[in-house]
């Protein structure tokens, strides 16, 4: 089916995907789930008074949850042998096995940033970093599809994403405190995810199981965040607190595990392009809704934030309609 000139980029992707609406809804839902996870993890971090500990607990819960699911899946269990054989044969680089460090960095970034700048600003910063470093990852050929050319449209889209981030946070750049650091942490978190995704793809292809790839991510991230938590607690002003907090603050781990399963389901039904644009749509809308319905002190929805989100979606649309993407 071909598109008419009046169809927008999103319509082209959805029509050409040839999939049922429930798959597209699931892809969009994964973005909204990430926004919800950001708010929960930020709340746990603020309550505990320790960013690293909050991130560790999130991934520990996700790891335990996914371990149960993997144990119940024969296909996922058989993937361990396939991954081992791939490393031995040289078809899978050992660095791919520690791709979970990107996820650890993302959770650490969101638990630190959200209490200071809110979900929406963190999301815009992270997506901008993800887009820019996705171009770098494609150019370096980190993914299983090999190298991709840096076309003018892709370069322009990356530039637009940076403009979008700057516009969205323009009314807060002059603030004192941790605002600038939190924004940079969000950008870095997105960059880590951009590097993580192609490496995860290589693991999933080798293991023939997205579920096992997600479990490996959670296991590596849990170990990394545990080390960060213990190292940071030495002589730190943020002591570890193991007192039981309100139950809903621990939902971030279950949300993370659930999102892995949703992504595993949707990415095989919709395709990468449709999945990406739907996820970003759900991410931006979900983050803005979170800050609008339950704003953190000093945060909220502003016109500059709305404008930044619009420009960001334009950048994503350019990537979607570029054949090199």
């Amino acid at each position: 089916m071909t598109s008419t000139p009046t169809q927008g980029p999103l319509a082209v992707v959805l029509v050409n995907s040839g999939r049922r609406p429930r798959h597209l809804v699931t892809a969009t839902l994964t973005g909204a789930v990430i926004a919800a996870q950001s708010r929960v993890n930020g709340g746990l971090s603020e309550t505990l008074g320790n960013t690293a500990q909050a991130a560790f607990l999130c991934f520990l819960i996700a790891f335990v949850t996914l371990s149960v699911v993997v144990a119940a899946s024969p296909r996922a269990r058989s993937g361990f042998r396939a991954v081992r054989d791939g490393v031995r044969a040289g078809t899978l680089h050992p660095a791919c096995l520690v791709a979970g460090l990107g996820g650890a960095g993302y959770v650490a970034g969101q638990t630190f940033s959200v209490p200071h700048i809110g979900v929406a600003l963190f999301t815009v910063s992270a997506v901008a970093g993800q887009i820019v470093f996705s171009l770098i990852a494609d150019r370096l050929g980190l993914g299983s599809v090999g190298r991709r050319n840096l076309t003018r449209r892709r370069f322009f889209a990356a530039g637009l994403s940076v403009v979008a981030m700057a516009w969205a946070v323009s009314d807060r750049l002059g603030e004192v405190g941790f605002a600038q650091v939190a924004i940079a942490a969000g950008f870095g978190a997105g960059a880590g995810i951009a590097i993580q995704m192609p490496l995860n793809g290589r693991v999933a292809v080798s293991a023939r199981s997205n579920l096992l790839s997600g479990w490996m991510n959670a296991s590596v991230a849990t170990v990394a965040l545990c080390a960060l938590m213990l190292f940071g607690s030495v002589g730190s002003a943020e002591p570890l607190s193991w007192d039981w907090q309100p139950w809903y603050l621990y939902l971030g781990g279950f949300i993370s595990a659930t999102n892995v399963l949703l992504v595993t389901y949707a990415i095989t039904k919709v395709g990468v392009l449709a999945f990406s644009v739907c996820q970003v749509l759900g991410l931006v809308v979900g983050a803005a809704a979170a800050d609008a319905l339950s704003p953190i002190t000093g945060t909220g929805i502003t016109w500059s934030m709305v404008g930044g989100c619009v420009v960001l979606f334009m950048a994503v649309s350019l990537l979607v309609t570029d054949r090199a993407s």
Side-chain angles (χ1 to χ4, degrees), residues 16-154:
N16 290 343
S17 66
R19 301 301 181 184
R20 295 181 179 180
R22 71 170 181 269
H23 301 145
L24 303 177
V25 171
T26 303
T28 305
L29 182 61
T30 62
V33 168
I34 293 175
Q37 180 188 356
S38 297
R39 173 54 60 89
V40 175
N41 288 345
L44 180 60
S45 172
E46 191 173 22
T47 302
L48 293 175
N50 190 298
T51 300
Q53 184 183 11
F56 165 71
L57 289 175
C58 173
F59 260 98
L60 177 63
I61 294 172
F63 168 72
V64 173
T65 303
L66 289 174
S67 295
V68 174
V69 178
V70 168
S73 172
R75 182 176 182 179
R77 294 198 306 270
S78 65
F80 285 105
R81 180 177 298 177
V83 169
R84 181 198 63 188
D85 294 342
V87 173
R88 288 180 176 178
T91 58
L92 181 66
H93 197 282
C96 297
L97 304 182
V98 294
L101 294 176
Y106 186 89
V107 173
Q110 72 180 186
T111 51
F112 167 76
S113 299
V114 168
H116 299 293
I117 60 177
V119 175
L121 289 182
F122 168 79
T123 302
V124 171
S125 301
V127 172
Q130 183 175 337
I131 290 178
V132 171
F133 276 81
S134 290
L135 295 179
I136 298 175
D138 278 346
R139 183 58 180 151
L140 295 177
L142 297 183
S144 57
V145 296
R147 297 192 179 204
R148 295 190 176 185
N149 294 328
L150 183 59
T151 64
R152 292 181 180 179
R153 178 172 293 198
R154 288 165 64 81

Side-chain angles (χ1 to χ4, degrees), residues 59 145 190 206 226 237 247 287 321:
F59 260 98
V145 296
S206 180
C226 180
W247 63 270
T321 56

Side-chain angles (χ1 to χ4, degrees), residues 143-317:
S144 57
V145 296
R147 297 192 179 204
R148 295 190 176 185
N149 294 328
L150 183 59
T151 64
R152 292 181 180 179
R153 178 172 293 198
R154 288 165 64 81
F155 184 81
F156 184 63
L160 272 183
S161 69
V162 177
V163 172
M165 182 187 71
W167 189 7
V169 302
S170 59
D171 59 341
R172 304 200 62 187
L173 291 178
E175 295 182 3
V176 297
F178 291 98
Q180 295 90 338
V181 177
I183 292 168
F187 188 89
I193 291 297
I195 302 300
Q196 176 191 22
M197 289 192 300
L199 300 184
N200 284 345
R202 289 184 177 273
V203 174
V205 169
S206 180
R208 295 183 293 277
S209 171
N210 288 329
L211 179 58
L212 180 60
S213 178
W215 178 87
M216 293 181 67
N217 270 300
S219 61
V220 171
T222 300
V223 174
L225 289 171
C226 180
L228 177 65
M229 175 188 67
L230 295 177
F231 178 78
S233 64
V234 179
S236 172
E238 294 184 333
L240 298 179
S241 173
W242 299 106
D243 296 334
W244 181 255
Q245 305 300 329
W247 63 270
Y248 54 84
L249 292 179
Y250 297 97
L251 290 178
F254 295 105
I255 293 174
S256 178
T258 301
N259 203 43
V260 169
L261 300 181
L262 289 174
V263 170
T264 302
Y265 167 76
I267 195 66
T268 59
K269 304 293 183 180
V270 175
V272 178
L273 292 182
F275 177 85
S276 296
V277 72
C278 288
Q279 185 182 56
V280 170
L281 177 62
L283 187 64
V284 174
V285 173
D291 278 351
L293 295 176
S294 181
I296 296 174
T297 303
T299 68
I301 304 299
T302 63
W303 284 113
S304 61
M305 185 187 303
V306 173
C309 290
V310 171
V311 175
L312 177 61
F313 187 75
M314 291 172 57
V316 174
S317 299

